[in-house]
Short mmCIF file of all heavy atoms in Angstrom, two decimals:
data_model
loop_
_atom_site.label_atom_id
_atom_site.label_comp_id
_atom_site.label_asym_id
_atom_site.label_seq_id
_atom_site.Cartn_x
_atom_site.Cartn_y
_atom_site.Cartn_z
N GLY A 111 11.21 -12.12 -0.45
CA GLY A 111 12.54 -11.56 -0.87
C GLY A 111 13.28 -10.78 0.10
O GLY A 111 14.36 -10.23 -0.25
N LYS A 112 12.71 -10.51 1.25
CA LYS A 112 13.46 -9.66 2.30
C LYS A 112 14.62 -10.44 2.81
O LYS A 112 14.61 -11.68 2.85
CB LYS A 112 12.47 -9.17 3.45
CG LYS A 112 11.92 -10.30 4.27
CD LYS A 112 10.99 -9.72 5.26
CE LYS A 112 9.78 -9.02 4.62
NZ LYS A 112 9.06 -8.16 5.52
N ALA A 113 15.62 -9.69 3.28
CA ALA A 113 16.82 -10.32 3.81
C ALA A 113 16.50 -11.20 4.96
O ALA A 113 15.78 -10.89 5.91
CB ALA A 113 17.87 -9.28 4.21
N ILE A 116 16.95 -9.74 8.44
CA ILE A 116 15.86 -8.85 8.83
C ILE A 116 14.57 -9.63 9.10
O ILE A 116 13.84 -9.24 10.08
CB ILE A 116 15.67 -7.84 7.74
CG1 ILE A 116 16.92 -6.91 7.64
CG2 ILE A 116 14.49 -6.93 7.97
CD1 ILE A 116 16.99 -5.94 6.48
N PHE A 295 15.14 2.56 2.52
CA PHE A 295 15.57 1.34 1.89
C PHE A 295 15.27 0.09 2.69
O PHE A 295 15.41 -1.03 2.21
CB PHE A 295 17.07 1.42 1.51
CG PHE A 295 17.39 2.55 0.56
CD1 PHE A 295 18.26 3.58 0.96
CD2 PHE A 295 16.76 2.63 -0.59
CE1 PHE A 295 18.54 4.53 0.19
CE2 PHE A 295 17.02 3.65 -1.48
CZ PHE A 295 17.92 4.62 -1.11
N PHE A 296 14.84 0.18 3.96
CA PHE A 296 14.40 -0.92 4.75
C PHE A 296 13.20 -1.63 3.99
O PHE A 296 12.32 -0.96 3.57
CB PHE A 296 13.93 -0.46 6.12
CG PHE A 296 13.30 -1.52 6.91
CD1 PHE A 296 14.04 -2.62 7.38
CD2 PHE A 296 11.98 -1.42 7.33
CE1 PHE A 296 13.37 -3.56 8.09
CE2 PHE A 296 11.34 -2.36 8.10
CZ PHE A 296 12.08 -3.47 8.50
N ASN A 297 13.29 -2.92 3.92
CA ASN A 297 12.26 -3.71 3.22
C ASN A 297 12.19 -3.34 1.75
O ASN A 297 11.13 -3.43 1.20
CB ASN A 297 10.91 -3.63 3.96
CG ASN A 297 10.03 -4.86 3.72
OD1 ASN A 297 10.57 -6.01 3.87
ND2 ASN A 297 8.84 -4.68 3.39
N HIS A 298 13.28 -2.85 1.22
CA HIS A 298 13.39 -2.48 -0.20
C HIS A 298 12.52 -1.34 -0.61
O HIS A 298 12.08 -1.26 -1.77
CB HIS A 298 13.09 -3.70 -1.13
CG HIS A 298 13.50 -5.06 -0.46
ND1 HIS A 298 12.88 -6.21 -0.82
CD2 HIS A 298 14.28 -5.37 0.52
CE1 HIS A 298 13.39 -7.22 -0.11
NE2 HIS A 298 14.28 -6.68 0.74
N GLY A 299 12.17 -0.52 0.37
CA GLY A 299 11.28 0.63 0.19
C GLY A 299 9.80 0.26 0.15
O GLY A 299 9.00 1.11 -0.09
N LEU A 329 25.33 -0.45 1.38
CA LEU A 329 24.18 -1.34 1.53
C LEU A 329 24.14 -2.30 0.44
O LEU A 329 23.98 -1.99 -0.70
CB LEU A 329 22.82 -0.55 1.58
CG LEU A 329 22.71 0.65 2.55
CD1 LEU A 329 21.45 1.35 2.44
CD2 LEU A 329 22.90 0.09 3.96
N LYS A 330 24.40 -3.59 0.80
CA LYS A 330 24.38 -4.62 -0.26
C LYS A 330 23.03 -5.03 -0.75
O LYS A 330 22.12 -5.26 0.01
CB LYS A 330 25.12 -5.87 0.27
CG LYS A 330 25.27 -6.96 -0.80
CD LYS A 330 25.90 -8.25 -0.25
CE LYS A 330 25.99 -9.38 -1.30
NZ LYS A 330 26.50 -10.59 -0.88
N VAL A 331 22.96 -5.06 -2.11
CA VAL A 331 21.77 -5.51 -2.77
C VAL A 331 22.06 -6.88 -3.35
O VAL A 331 23.05 -7.01 -4.09
CB VAL A 331 21.38 -4.51 -3.86
CG1 VAL A 331 20.04 -5.01 -4.65
CG2 VAL A 331 21.14 -3.12 -3.30
N GLY A 332 21.27 -7.88 -3.07
CA GLY A 332 21.46 -9.19 -3.71
C GLY A 332 20.76 -10.29 -3.04
O GLY A 332 19.59 -10.09 -2.47
N ASP A 333 21.29 -11.53 -2.99
CA ASP A 333 20.69 -12.70 -2.44
C ASP A 333 20.18 -12.42 -1.07
O ASP A 333 20.97 -12.21 -0.20
CB ASP A 333 21.71 -13.82 -2.57
CG ASP A 333 21.19 -15.07 -1.86
OD1 ASP A 333 20.00 -15.21 -1.56
OD2 ASP A 333 22.02 -15.93 -1.65
N PRO A 334 18.91 -12.58 -0.79
CA PRO A 334 18.45 -12.22 0.58
C PRO A 334 18.88 -13.26 1.64
O PRO A 334 18.80 -12.95 2.83
CB PRO A 334 16.90 -12.28 0.38
CG PRO A 334 16.64 -13.13 -0.81
CD PRO A 334 17.84 -12.85 -1.72
N ASP A 338 25.32 -10.70 4.48
CA ASP A 338 25.47 -9.32 4.48
C ASP A 338 24.52 -8.55 3.60
O ASP A 338 24.67 -7.37 3.41
CB ASP A 338 26.95 -8.98 4.05
CG ASP A 338 27.30 -9.59 2.63
OD1 ASP A 338 26.57 -10.41 2.14
OD2 ASP A 338 28.35 -9.19 2.11
N THR A 339 23.49 -9.19 3.14
CA THR A 339 22.57 -8.50 2.28
C THR A 339 21.58 -7.68 3.06
O THR A 339 21.08 -8.03 4.14
CB THR A 339 21.68 -9.49 1.48
OG1 THR A 339 22.49 -10.11 0.50
CG2 THR A 339 20.50 -8.77 0.71
N PHE A 340 21.38 -6.34 2.62
CA PHE A 340 20.41 -5.46 3.28
C PHE A 340 19.15 -5.41 2.39
O PHE A 340 18.04 -5.38 2.96
CB PHE A 340 21.01 -4.14 3.43
CG PHE A 340 20.00 -3.13 4.04
CD1 PHE A 340 19.76 -3.20 5.42
CD2 PHE A 340 19.42 -2.18 3.27
CE1 PHE A 340 18.82 -2.30 6.06
CE2 PHE A 340 18.53 -1.26 3.87
CZ PHE A 340 18.23 -1.31 5.24
N GLN A 341 19.29 -5.30 1.13
CA GLN A 341 18.16 -5.10 0.22
C GLN A 341 18.06 -6.26 -0.71
O GLN A 341 18.92 -6.54 -1.52
CB GLN A 341 18.26 -3.82 -0.61
CG GLN A 341 17.13 -3.57 -1.52
CD GLN A 341 17.34 -2.32 -2.31
OE1 GLN A 341 17.72 -1.27 -1.80
NE2 GLN A 341 16.98 -2.39 -3.61
N GLY A 342 16.90 -6.96 -0.72
CA GLY A 342 16.61 -8.01 -1.70
C GLY A 342 15.82 -7.58 -2.85
O GLY A 342 15.77 -6.35 -3.11
N PRO A 343 15.12 -8.47 -3.54
CA PRO A 343 14.33 -8.07 -4.69
C PRO A 343 12.99 -7.41 -4.28
O PRO A 343 12.55 -7.53 -3.16
CB PRO A 343 14.10 -9.36 -5.40
CG PRO A 343 14.01 -10.40 -4.21
CD PRO A 343 15.03 -9.98 -3.19
N GLN A 344 12.39 -6.68 -5.26
CA GLN A 344 10.98 -6.32 -5.09
C GLN A 344 10.16 -7.56 -5.16
O GLN A 344 10.54 -8.66 -5.63
CB GLN A 344 10.62 -5.28 -6.16
CG GLN A 344 11.54 -4.10 -6.35
CD GLN A 344 11.92 -3.42 -5.01
OE1 GLN A 344 13.07 -3.19 -4.68
NE2 GLN A 344 10.91 -2.99 -4.25
N HIS A 374 18.73 -4.01 -11.00
CA HIS A 374 20.05 -4.54 -10.48
C HIS A 374 20.09 -6.02 -10.86
O HIS A 374 19.23 -6.79 -10.52
CB HIS A 374 20.03 -4.43 -8.94
CG HIS A 374 21.23 -5.07 -8.26
ND1 HIS A 374 22.41 -4.33 -8.15
CD2 HIS A 374 21.45 -6.28 -7.78
CE1 HIS A 374 23.26 -5.18 -7.58
NE2 HIS A 374 22.67 -6.35 -7.32
N PHE A 380 15.11 -7.15 -8.85
CA PHE A 380 15.92 -6.23 -8.06
C PHE A 380 15.86 -4.84 -8.72
O PHE A 380 15.87 -4.74 -9.91
CB PHE A 380 17.37 -6.72 -7.96
CG PHE A 380 17.48 -8.00 -7.19
CD1 PHE A 380 17.36 -9.24 -7.83
CD2 PHE A 380 17.83 -8.05 -5.88
CE1 PHE A 380 17.47 -10.43 -7.16
CE2 PHE A 380 17.99 -9.17 -5.19
CZ PHE A 380 17.79 -10.40 -5.79
N VAL A 381 15.94 -3.82 -7.89
CA VAL A 381 16.04 -2.42 -8.33
C VAL A 381 17.16 -1.72 -7.52
O VAL A 381 17.22 -1.93 -6.28
CB VAL A 381 14.70 -1.69 -8.15
CG1 VAL A 381 14.90 -0.19 -8.52
CG2 VAL A 381 13.62 -2.28 -9.03
N GLN A 382 17.94 -0.98 -8.16
CA GLN A 382 19.11 -0.30 -7.48
C GLN A 382 18.49 0.76 -6.58
O GLN A 382 17.45 1.43 -6.81
CB GLN A 382 19.94 0.45 -8.53
CG GLN A 382 20.71 -0.43 -9.46
CD GLN A 382 21.41 0.33 -10.56
OE1 GLN A 382 21.27 1.55 -10.68
NE2 GLN A 382 22.21 -0.30 -11.33
N PRO A 383 19.05 0.98 -5.39
CA PRO A 383 18.81 2.11 -4.53
C PRO A 383 18.85 3.40 -5.35
O PRO A 383 19.98 3.61 -5.93
CB PRO A 383 19.76 2.01 -3.38
CG PRO A 383 20.28 0.60 -3.39
CD PRO A 383 20.15 0.12 -4.80
N THR A 384 17.88 4.18 -5.40
CA THR A 384 17.83 5.28 -6.29
C THR A 384 17.56 6.66 -5.52
O THR A 384 16.60 6.75 -4.73
CB THR A 384 16.75 5.12 -7.37
OG1 THR A 384 17.09 3.91 -8.13
CG2 THR A 384 16.62 6.33 -8.29
N PRO A 403 12.62 1.36 -3.63
CA PRO A 403 13.87 1.98 -3.10
C PRO A 403 14.24 3.24 -3.82
O PRO A 403 15.28 3.35 -4.47
CB PRO A 403 14.92 0.88 -3.25
CG PRO A 403 14.40 0.09 -4.50
CD PRO A 403 12.94 0.12 -4.50
#
Side-chain angles (χ1 to χ4, degrees):
K112 64 182 65 196
I116 294 174
F295 299 119
F296 173 65
N297 208 47
H298 329 157
L329 304 178
K330 181 181 176 182
V331 181
D333 176 11
D338 57 347
T339 292
F340 179 77
Q341 181 183 316
Q344 309 311 128
H374 176 87
F380 296 86
V381 175
Q382 295 173 353
T384 299

